[in-house]
Every structure is written in C-alpha cells, then in structure tokens.
Amino acid sequence: HQSSALNRLMQILITGITGYFGSQLAKEFCQLGQIHGLKRKNSRLDLLTGTSFPVQWHEGDITDLDSLL
C-alpha cells in the first residue's frame, strides 16, 4: 500500500521534544515515520523514557544558529 510505504519514509523533526507537548507529539507521530528530536546539551529525557520507538537525537538550540550548523 502506497501510503504505508510513504509513512515509513517520513522524517519528522520535533523541536522541544524533551518538554511535555513535544514528547506528546513524538508519541502521537511515531507511527507516521522516523522521529528526530532537537535537544539542548543538558536536556533531560525523562518524558520519553520507556517509549517503544527510537528517536534520532540532534543536539542544538534553536536560539543559537551556530549550534544548528
């Protein structure tokens, strides 16, 4: 089925994933594709502990352009 093949290839970037709303978005969107999370260096991951899906982590801060390059 074409839509399920598309879903497996979808890449979803969530900024703020370590917060309440971002972690809830990750839990909802994980069935749509690969979750990518932008986190600060010292972010806690408590809200995503024990989830059954992998997160591809990217370190950076959206208020610091150099950290995103």
Side-chain angles (χ1 to χ4, degrees):
H1 189 258
Q2 184 180 4
S3 66
S4 46
L6 264 177
N7 290 343
R8 281 181 280 163
L9 300 175
M10 190 177 298
Q11 303 293 306
I12 303 163
L13 174 64
I14 301 175
T15 61
I17 192 171
T18 60
Y20 178 76
F21 291 115
S23 65
Q24 295 303 308
L25 284 173
K27 291 172 186 174
E28 289 295 319
F29 291 162
C30 69
Q31 296 178 10
L32 298 176
Q34 172 64 47
I35 300 294
H36 294 261
L38 180 65
K39 70 178 194 72
R40 292 186 194 103
K41 184 176 184 175
N42 297 319
S43 292
R44 295 178 57 177
L45 307 178
D46 300 0
L47 295 173
L48 291 165
T49 301
T51 55
S52 61
F53 57 90
V55 175
Q56 177 72 42
W57 292 107
H58 305 275
E59 196 170 288
D61 185 330
I62 61 171
T63 64
D64 178 8
L65 179 61
D66 290 335
S67 75
L68 301 175
L69 301 176

